[in-house]
Amino acid sequence: MPNSLNPFELIARRWQPSARFVERAALATVVMAVVIVVTGGAVRLTQSGLGCDTWPKCTPSSLTPTADMGINGVIEFTNRMLTYVLCVFVGVLIIAARARTPVRRSLTRLGWAQFWIVMGNAVVGGIVVLTGLNPYIVSSHFLLSSALLTVAMVVWQRAREGDGEPRDLIARPARQLTWLLVGATLALILIGTVVTGAGPHAGDAREVHRIPLNWQEITQLHVDFVYIVLGLTVALWFTLRAVKAPAAQRRTVLELLVVLLAQGVIGYVQYFTHLPEVVVGIHMLGSCLVWIAALRVLLAQRERAALPAAVPAPTGDHETVQPEPAASSR
């Protein structure tokens, strides 16, 4: 009696997505990861963090916001619903990667990693509400979103390459400098979350606990790391030029430099204009773009070739017969 097929195998028998579709599905998860960060920032910047004052319901007696909760309840509830939209995009990616032949286990595993990060972050979001916007948990909420963006970027890259062993495209010292650049960029983002946790945008009009640090001093540390990351970016570009690295790798470094400079301008504007909400929101978008650009630099420095196509096993109801040397390929 044949084994029963799981739902993914049933879908694979009826639908064979193209490699292009899988790649676009992966890119869509990258876009949605950015959207969820920006909309989460909008919740805080509009003081809607406690628009729904409990979780998983919006109020103890209602799943959705009530009329007396006003626009803040609508904004917070809409952000919650975007989690389900994100799950749909991740689900499409998982199904497409699983349905495609040959099956690429690396893509499906990374897709499931995205799904569980989304689920974990939904729980953390609930804890954020239940703890009255505790700044440390709010920071972890953002960092999990950054982790989701990281995995989404890796999936997008893997969807455009094979499953062979990775091969470095640049010299090892330049590769090490790149890792240092990515580490410094990550530290820059981490310090940015501390600035947010200590700054004036608490996420609600009521008194909300903040990280007990001077946010202006932390902001200065954040600026110092901006210069460190800029310096490492310029150094990496000159290093790649000196070792005659391919133009594609040098171009990703220039893209990162442009994004960093734009983000720096936005940062100074928001500081000298006393942190207007719109500019802070643009700066949050910029932080996502900086991280994406840094990951592109790293991921562009190696490649994976496609694995050789598997030879189909002989089939039939009788014993296996050795093929004739001059067998026709028809």
Side-chain angles (χ1 to χ4, degrees), residues 278-302:
V278 173
V279 181
V280 174
I282 296 173
H283 195 61
M284 291 189 67
L285 171 62
S287 71
C288 293
L289 298 181
V290 166
W291 187 232
I292 287 173
L295 291 174
R296 279 174 53 82
V297 171
L298 180 65
L299 295 173
Q301 293 180 358
R302 61 101 175 95

Side-chain angles (χ1 to χ4, degrees), residues 19-321:
R20 184 68 172 167
F21 182 91
V22 176
E23 179 186 332
R24 288 177 175 175
L27 177 59
T29 65
V30 174
V31 174
M32 282 304 302
V34 174
V35 169
I36 206 73
V37 169
V38 174
T39 55
V43 170
R44 190 179 78 250
L45 295 171
T46 57
Q47 298 184 345
S48 303
L50 296 177
C52 292
D53 55 11
T54 189
W55 185 86
K57 293 182 176 181
C58 203
T59 71
S61 58
S62 174
L63 178 64
T64 59
T66 57
D68 61 333
M69 299 173 74
I71 188 63
N72 296 117
V74 173
I75 293 173
E76 163 65 4
F77 184 74
T78 300
N79 187 61
R80 292 186 183 187
M81 291 301 99
L82 277 177
T83 299
Y84 298 100
V85 177
L86 178 56
C87 284
V88 170
F89 278 86
V90 173
V92 169
L93 168 64
I94 293 172
I95 292 171
R98 179 63 181 82
R100 181 161 170 74
T101 302
V103 177
R104 297 185 61 187
R105 300 293 181 187
S106 59
L107 288 184
T108 55
R109 284 194 294 266
L110 287 167
W112 280 111
Q114 286 182 267
F115 174 79
W116 290 116
I117 291 173
V118 173
M119 290 296 97
N121 211 14
V123 173
V124 172
I127 296 173
V128 166
V129 173
L130 296 176
T131 57
L133 305 184
N134 180 289
Y136 301 101
I137 303 177
V138 171
S139 296
S140 67
H141 194 42
F142 174 79
L143 293 177
L144 275 174
S145 297
S146 298
L148 174 65
L149 179 57
T150 303
V151 177
M153 281 295 296
V154 173
V155 175
W156 184 38
Q157 175 69 20
R158 293 303 310 276
R160 294 177 290 161
E161 61 187 12
D163 281 327
E165 289 297 320
R167 182 178 72 87
D168 288 346
L169 299 174
I170 63 172
R172 183 178 178 82
R175 184 79 170 164
Q176 292 172 333
L177 180 57
T178 301
W179 276 106
L180 181 60
L181 169 61
V182 172
T185 306
L186 179 59
L188 174 66
I189 294 172
L190 290 172
I191 296 170
T193 65
V194 178
V195 174
T196 301
H201 293 296
D204 192 80
R206 289 164 284 185
E207 186 71 23
V208 175
H209 175 65
R210 311 302 291 145
I211 295 177
L213 294 171
N214 186 315
W215 74 269
Q216 291 180 317
E217 292 179 358
I218 300 300
T219 299
Q220 183 58 56
L221 178 62
H222 185 60
V223 171
D224 293 340
F225 262 85
V226 170
Y227 287 117
I228 291 173
V229 173
L230 278 171
L232 289 171
T233 303
V234 173
L236 179 60
W237 187 84
F238 278 107
T239 300
L240 293 179
R241 185 178 180 184
V243 300
K244 295 181 172 56
Q249 281 70 50
R250 298 200 306 270
R251 185 171 58 251
T252 59
V253 178
L254 286 177
E255 290 170 357
L256 172 60
L257 182 60
V258 170
V259 175
L260 283 170
L261 291 174
Q263 178 74 335
V265 170
I266 296 169
Y268 275 111
V269 169
Q270 72 170 359
Y271 181 81
F272 289 111
T273 55
H274 307 292
L275 305 178
E277 288 80 0
V278 173
V279 181
V280 174
I282 296 173
H283 195 61
M284 291 189 67
L285 171 62
S287 71
C288 293
L289 298 181
V290 166
W291 187 232
I292 287 173
L295 291 174
R296 279 174 53 82
V297 171
L298 180 65
L299 295 173
Q301 293 180 358
R302 61 101 175 95
E303 66 178 3
R304 290 175 183 265
L307 292 175
V311 177
T315 59
D317 298 329
H318 305 289
E319 293 183 0
T320 302
V321 179

